[in-house]
Amino acid sequence: MKIASFNINGIKARLPALLDWLKEAEPDVVLVQEIKSVDHTFPREAIEDAGYSVETHGQKSFNGVAILSKLPLEDVTRGLPGDDEDEQARWIEATVAGETGAILLCGLYLPNGNPAPGPKYDYKLAWMERLKARAADLIASEECALMAGDYNVIPQPEDCHDPAVWADDALFLPQTRKAWQSIVNLGFTEALRTVNQQPETYTFWDYQAGAWPKNNGIRIDHFLLTPQAADHLVACNIDKHVRDREKPSDHVPIWVELDI
């Protein structure tokens, strides 16, 4: 089973780019972030015509997550537990069955947190605490599960082109990275770094200052696998070439292959 994550940065603006990539990469399931669309205006028909069912958790103009799947989705839930007053659409879950078993997929769009310090950074850290609680439940349940998406976290200095540039950014602050590591330390496998230790392995390049041609990128899109899912890990890679296409997202797809 090939499962991908892709921050599309606006589904309506990037729909042709998404459809081209779906046809080329042929993922079984895609966890999509930053759709920037309410549910009823999401262009589901074009995606269904490409062979995917669609589940969305949308929000007007901002945020929003979705799951696209060639396989049946079950037990779809929306919203990260822990704060009933949180109206931001950043979390969606569903179970999908493969040939030999099922896996719970959690798609997320973690808050950016800038400017830091400030209310937005406080929200980011509080959201990460809620994420940790959900992650702990997944570990305790011994489920085959993964959490994937745009974490807005640069885990290590080697995950950005110049650590000095990002030193005061919410994505790279010590408190952010500590919160990330506390989640990983619950027992998760970080899929990409398990199979690829190469430097300059990025998933995001800003539209400004020639970041893409200079390869001034950062790695902020991640797959975290429970032990039961990690046992099935075959491959993990980044489709970097997608960033060089017409009207691209500032992120590129990252995907895992699991023998499920």
Side-chain angles (χ1 to χ4, degrees), residues 57 78-84 86 88 90-93 126-132 134:
H57 180 35
R78 296 164 175 85
L80 182 64
D83 184 355
D84 293 339
D86 186 2
Q88 297 193 27
R90 295 181 174 276
W91 180 270
I92 189 167
E93 295 183 16
W127 206 93
M128 294 184 80
E129 277 297 312
R130 290 162 55 201
L131 175 61
K132 184 178 179 180
R134 181 68 185 112

Side-chain angles (χ1 to χ4, degrees), residues 108-131:
L108 64 94
Y109 177 44
L110 202 147
N112 178 284
N114 283 302
K120 290 186 177 181
Y121 191 57
D122 294 341
Y123 174 67
K124 180 190 186 89
L125 294 178
W127 206 93
M128 294 184 80
E129 277 297 312
R130 290 162 55 201
L131 175 61

Side-chain angles (χ1 to χ4, degrees), residues 175-189:
Q175 199 171 354
T176 301
R177 292 188 285 140
K178 182 179 179 181
W180 155 268
Q181 196 59 51
S182 73
I183 294 169
V184 177
N185 288 349
L186 292 171
F188 287 88
T189 293

